[in-house]
Amino acid sequence: MNQRIYSRIIGTGGYLPEKVVTNFDLEKIVETSDAWIRERTGIEERRIAADDQTTCDLAEKASIEALKMAAINSQELDLIIVATTTPDKTFPSTACLLQTRLGNRCAPAFDIQAVCTGFVYALSVADQFIQTGMAKKVLVVGAETLSRITNWEDRNTCVLFGDGAGAVILEASTKPGILSTHIHADGQYEELLHVPSGVSKRPLTDDIAERTMSMKGNEVFKVAVNTLSSIASETLEANGMVKEDLDWLVPHQANMRIIMATAKKLKLRDDQTVITVNKHANTSSASVPMALNEAIRDGRIQRGQTLLLEAFGGGFTWGSALIKY
Ligand code: COA
């Protein structure tokens, strides 16, 4: 029988823009309060890209860090995938722009758009390429400048989001790595969380509400909590594992209450859950790889441990990855 090929994480990187916007800063532009934001979301501050910084700029910095940790050069990559909802251009893809920046010349490069689940979708696609032998070294990035599609006059949304990028390098290996990925979507929820206009919708509009995120927060909240709990069970069952087999939950960082509800269902202690939402807010596709990068770099996540990554986002989309690190 052929030996199974796994996707093993050999490098991670992350990048946050320098500009910090605190809840107190937001109190000055919309009717909100630090206390309300902390209590309902766990968010204290977020980073916002400079006016001349793009998603690709953030992706590049995170990718360079990941390449360094993996101790490989960019020419060795044979696939580049960027998950983003906020690309630099309608085309070429941000992945193609990133490929040139990194000095890689012929690896296939493409973007994936699954909003906050984008990184988990990209990881799932990368894993299929590795398992089938189509790729051996893959760069998977989640990068966003959500501040560009945020309505800074809408308190329902503007307090929740931030900018950033996270990157992971996967390598084909006979040692365990990604054990399974699970991705789903249900487009019937389109209007609960969306940016109403896009490039093909006519008439073109200058209306800020059409060009920025609109969300029915409490309805999103309910579906997110239920869906994340069911995908955690689906993932454990698919691998013949139980809750107690998990060492870490690396969740999408949308809201502390959603994260804690998932951790509680999994009977995980607080110190087994990676939290960055307080400092990063919701960075969409960047949130899971940035959280993973932080916990690997500060030594909390150790080789041999079992990690559950999960995410939920617009679409709705949701997904998970079970990883032996
Ligand atoms: N500051 C102060 N008050 C605010 C506010 C803000 N930034 N945003 C909303 N409010 C008000 C509302 O207007 C409402 O006031 P009303 O009762 O007078 O109408 C009140 O707070 C309660 O609003 P509600 O939406 O029911 O609050 P909530 O407890 O559900 O918390 C969210 C709101 C957005 C924090 C919460 O629903 C949430 O996190 N949802 C998930 C969002 C998410 O994660 N989206 C991304 C998924 S990837």
Side-chain angles (χ1 to χ4, degrees):
M1 214 175 84
N2 284 343
Q3 196 167 16
R4 178 172 167 184
I5 301 296
Y6 292 94
S7 307
R8 208 168 149 75
I9 296 174
I10 58 164
T12 62
Y15 178 74
L16 285 164
E18 275 174 31
K19 186 176 173 189
V20 177
V21 174
T22 65
N23 294 345
F24 298 104
D25 295 326
L26 292 177
E27 283 180 358
K28 294 178 196 135
I29 61 172
V30 286
E31 206 181 315
T32 190
S33 68
D34 174 60
W36 191 95
I37 302 171
R38 271 177 206 256
E39 187 194 314
R40 303 286 174 118
T41 71
I43 298 167
E44 295 158 23
E45 59 184 49
R46 70 285 294 138
R47 301 294 184 99
I48 300 296
D51 283 347
D52 61 354
Q53 248 178 343
T54 67
T55 294
C56 192
D57 294 330
L58 313 189
E60 183 185 359
K61 289 198 156 67
S63 302
I64 289 171
E65 263 197 23
L67 285 164
K68 270 193 200 142
M69 189 197 274
I72 63 166
N73 66 49
S74 66
Q75 286 93 313
E76 292 176 66
L77 296 171
D78 50 13
L79 177 62
I80 297 172
I81 309 180
V82 175
T84 187
T85 308
T86 46
D88 289 30
K89 300 184 174 193
T90 300
F91 74 85
S93 67
T94 306
C96 284
L97 307 180
L98 178 64
Q99 181 208 37
T100 307
R101 300 263 195 104
L102 296 176
N104 178 292
R105 271 299 161 82
C106 70
F110 56 86
D111 287 0
I112 280 189
Q113 215 281 45
V115 208
C116 300
T117 319
F119 178 78
V120 174
Y121 265 59
L123 206 62
S124 180
V125 171
D127 185 41
Q128 312 310 310
F129 271 77
I130 287 181
Q131 285 193 54
T132 55
M134 284 277 289
K136 297 224 161 4
K137 287 191 174 65
V138 184
L139 170 63
V140 186
V141 183
E144 302 282 5
T145 46
L146 282 189
S147 57
R148 312 301 198 232
I149 54 167
T150 297
N151 180 351
W152 293 100
E153 290 172 4
D154 176 12
R155 71 175 184 174
N156 290 303
T157 52
C158 77
V159 302
L160 302 176
F161 300 100
D163 300 336
V168 161
I169 313 262
L170 299 175
E171 182 179 54
S173 172
T174 50
K175 283 196 214 149
I178 295 179
L179 302 177
S180 70
T181 59
H182 306 262
I183 53 175
H184 298 280
D186 189 345
Q188 71 170 306
Y189 294 108
E190 167 193 350
E191 307 230 326
L192 292 187
L193 176 56
H194 66 146
V195 174
S197 77
V199 290
S200 103
K201 200 169 156 201
R202 292 291 180 270
L204 281 175
T205 174
D206 285 332
D207 181 357
I208 184 80
E210 286 283 309
R211 291 188 287 108
T212 53
M213 281 180 281
S214 148
M215 185 179 68
K216 297 204 172 70
N218 44 13
E219 291 181 52
V220 175
F221 189 97
K222 280 180 229 152
V223 185
V225 169
N226 290 331
T227 309
L228 289 171
S229 153
S230 75
I231 198 149
S233 309
E234 175 188 336
T235 310
L236 290 173
E237 271 167 36
N239 289 278
M241 286 191 185
V242 292
K243 294 165 186 168
E244 290 72 20
D245 292 323
L246 292 177
D247 294 301
W248 287 99
L249 174 66
V250 187
H252 172 47
Q253 309 283 324
N255 181 309
M256 187 74 95
R257 290 185 291 146
I258 298 177
I259 295 173
M260 284 311 171
T262 310
K264 197 172 158 203
K265 286 247 162 71
L266 288 168
K267 296 198 171 121
L268 290 171
R269 301 184 311 269
D270 288 2
D271 64 356
Q272 290 179 288
T273 304
V274 182
I275 303 286
T276 56
V277 68
N278 53 332
K279 297 288 172 203
H280 299 179
N282 180 348
T283 57
S284 191
S285 70
S287 92
V288 173
M290 283 202 293
L292 181 66
N293 177 55
E294 273 202 17
I296 286 176
R297 282 182 185 263
D298 67 20
R300 272 178 289 167
I301 292 179
Q302 297 282 320
R303 284 283 174 203
Q305 291 187 322
T306 304
L307 329 176
L308 177 66
L309 278 49
E310 50 85 336
F312 177 90
F316 289 148
T317 55
W318 63 100
S320 65
L322 192 73
I323 299 177
K324 183 70 82 179
Y325 177 63

